[in-house]
Amino acid sequence: MFSNCNIKKQNQVTKVSKNSDFTIAFGSCNKQNKTNVLWQEVKKNNPDLWIWGGDIIYSDTENMSKMKSDYETLLSQEAYKNLANKVPILATWDDHDYGVNDGGIEFPKKQEAQQLFLDFLGVSKNSARRSQEGIYNSKKFITTKGSINVILLDTRYFRTKLTKAKGKRRYVPNKNGEGTILGKEQWSWLQNELNNSKADFNVIVSSIQVLSSEHGFETWGNFPHEVDKLKETIISSKAKGVLLLSGDRHISEFSQTEVPNLPYKLTDFTSSGLTHAYTSYSGEPNKYRVQEVVNEISFGVLNFNFDDKFIDLEMRGRNNKLLQKMKQSY
């Protein structure tokens, strides 16, 4: 099993004593063989939690020895170890740490890859997560002022076949209402999580974008009926303070939409590109975009305010520079 220093911390109630009532930092797309210059910048924000949004490593392989070695390469990096020794870590995976580019239900080594993913996180061999199909999980963080429920989705293990495009786009939406991203059991679990959540904020982590759907790559928008189902699930649950986090794209952006019968705007905060970014980005449509696309390496920061029921959303980059900021109110 991989060494990990976060097991005890993840099982403790988190107490906060700073201006923000609770701070989460998150990011995605991290090449284990490249130096990640952002870890020291992440630490400057004094996060109470780090969330991996997927592509923790790039290990497109069915060779599990190689995948294990790739995780060990990351775990051996001093800057990451320094963060992991001080901050609890939660994670979901995306295609490159799952094992195959744009992969889904068909990947033959998904069960083996799941065990290596859990090893990386230091999950006990006796944990129920070892026998569960898929790596979806949740954890509640309790402060003196309120609580946050972090819900991590698995958009790989159960995701059915994508509809390939004929033009410049890679994929097109399935308009027949067929296929799934989460699968039956995970959908049931998510509905239960939200229906029973008493938390002041509910943060849902998806490795792929939920709202942005016009770019032709992977997105929930390739299964429009699943997007509708997610919105309906959030509305009917009456869960408070729902925020979506995503990665995958090697860009960072805010996407936001008004959903009928939801008393606040639904926001998808994409933070992607910890070690590499889409620097040649020249534009793409996203009708839900708020502000601008950030196409340099960056990470996301969420600063929670329980008294006034808002989250300050920040994109930060080299030297902890604030690249873009937005306020999400509830």
Side-chain angles (χ1 to χ4, degrees):
M1 180 182 292
F2 306 124
S3 61
N4 187 279
C5 302
N6 297 299
I7 302 172
K8 290 183 180 180
K9 288 185 177 182
Q10 289 190 43
N11 292 324
Q12 294 175 348
V13 171
T14 304
K15 295 182 179 179
V16 184
S17 57
K18 56 175 181 289
N19 292 333
S20 170
D21 295 326
F22 196 88
T23 299
I24 294 176
F26 81 105
S28 62
C29 302
N30 179 81
K31 289 186 176 180
Q32 70 278 4
N33 294 313
K34 294 190 69 172
T35 300
N36 187 329
V37 299
L38 295 181
W39 291 130
Q40 61 186 4
E41 312 309 328
V42 170
K43 287 176 62 179
K44 291 176 182 177
N45 294 274
N46 298 312
D48 299 290
L49 171 67
W50 168 261
I51 298 176
W52 284 108
D55 291 338
I56 299 168
I57 56 172
Y58 278 66
S59 190
D60 297 50
T61 183
E62 294 183 16
N63 183 332
M64 293 298 103
S65 294
K66 178 187 182 304
M67 184 175 286
K68 179 179 180 181
S69 176
D70 289 337
Y71 276 123
E72 289 173 341
T73 297
L74 172 57
L75 286 169
S76 69
Q77 294 178 6
E78 288 300 320
Y80 180 69
K81 285 196 290 186
N82 289 338
L83 178 74
N85 283 336
K86 297 179 180 179
V87 180
I89 292 177
L90 296 179
T92 190
W93 60 14
D94 200 32
D95 51 349
H96 299 294
D97 40 3
Y98 181 60
V100 60
N101 185 48
D102 292 356
I105 194 172
E106 76 287 347
F107 184 54
K109 292 289 186 177
K110 60 185 179 181
Q111 293 177 337
E112 294 87 344
Q114 175 171 333
Q115 297 308 312
L116 290 179
F117 174 86
L118 297 176
D119 287 348
F120 167 74
L121 291 177
V123 175
S124 167
K125 291 293 186 182
N126 298 321
S127 170
R129 296 172 65 186
R130 294 286 182 173
S131 56
Q132 167 188 294
E133 286 193 299
I135 53 89
Y136 57 91
N137 185 41
S138 69
K139 182 170 179 61
K140 181 180 285 187
F141 291 81
I142 302 172
T143 77
T144 56
K145 287 192 171 185
S147 60
I148 301 167
N149 191 28
V150 179
I151 300 170
L152 300 117
L153 302 180
D154 185 337
T155 66
R156 293 291 158 194
Y157 201 99
F158 309 97
R159 200 223 66 218
T160 50
K161 189 176 181 180
L162 297 166
T163 304
K164 292 186 178 181
K166 294 181 179 179
K168 293 183 179 180
R169 296 166 60 97
R170 187 177 294 177
Y171 306 109
V172 293
N174 183 316
K175 297 182 179 180
N176 298 321
E178 299 171 348
T180 184
I181 294 176
L182 301 186
K184 184 177 179 181
E185 290 188 13
Q186 187 177 186
W187 265 118
S188 178
W189 170 84
L190 175 58
Q191 289 164 343
N192 186 65
E193 277 289 323
L194 290 174
N195 288 342
N196 293 294
S197 178
K198 305 300 181 186
D200 298 279
F201 297 97
N202 290 272
V203 178
I204 300 176
V205 185
S206 165
S207 66
I208 58 174
Q209 290 184 304
V210 179
L211 295 183
S212 178
S213 60
E214 300 166 75
H215 46 69
F217 297 100
E218 284 201 277
T219 164
W220 276 65
N222 290 324
F223 299 88
H225 54 286
E226 293 280 84
V227 179
D228 292 341
K229 187 173 182 177
L230 179 61
K231 291 176 180 178
E232 291 165 3
T233 297
I234 293 170
I235 294 166
S236 63
S237 72
K238 294 183 170 53
K240 293 183 286 186
V242 174
L243 175 71
L244 307 175
L245 303 183
S246 59
D248 176 55
R249 296 297 322 288
H250 305 168
I251 58 173
S252 295
E253 65 178 343
F254 301 126
S255 301
Q256 189 177 74
T257 186
E258 292 187 2
V259 180
N261 300 315
L262 192 67
Y264 49 85
K265 291 182 179 180
L266 184 62
T267 297
D268 181 357
F269 181 0
T270 302
S271 182
S272 176
L274 287 169
T275 57
H276 56 294
Y278 185 11
T279 54
S280 61
Y281 171 87
S282 59
E284 65 181 33
N286 175 7
K287 62 184 177 181
Y288 301 115
R289 184 179 298 129
V290 178
Q291 300 184 47
E292 304 297 328
V293 164
V294 168
N295 65 329
E296 60 183 275
I297 60 170
S298 67
F299 60 96
V301 179
L302 317 176
N303 289 307
F304 292 80
N305 184 304
F306 289 101
D307 291 334
D308 296 321
K309 297 180 175 58
F310 71 82
I311 314 171
D312 278 330
L313 314 178
E314 299 178 345
M315 299 174 190
R316 291 186 174 270
R318 290 180 176 87
N319 301 313
N320 201 34
K321 180 182 178 181
L322 180 61
L323 304 173
Q324 200 158 230
K325 182 176 181 178
M326 169 181 159
K327 183 175 181 179
Q328 171 70 37
S329 298
Y330 295 97

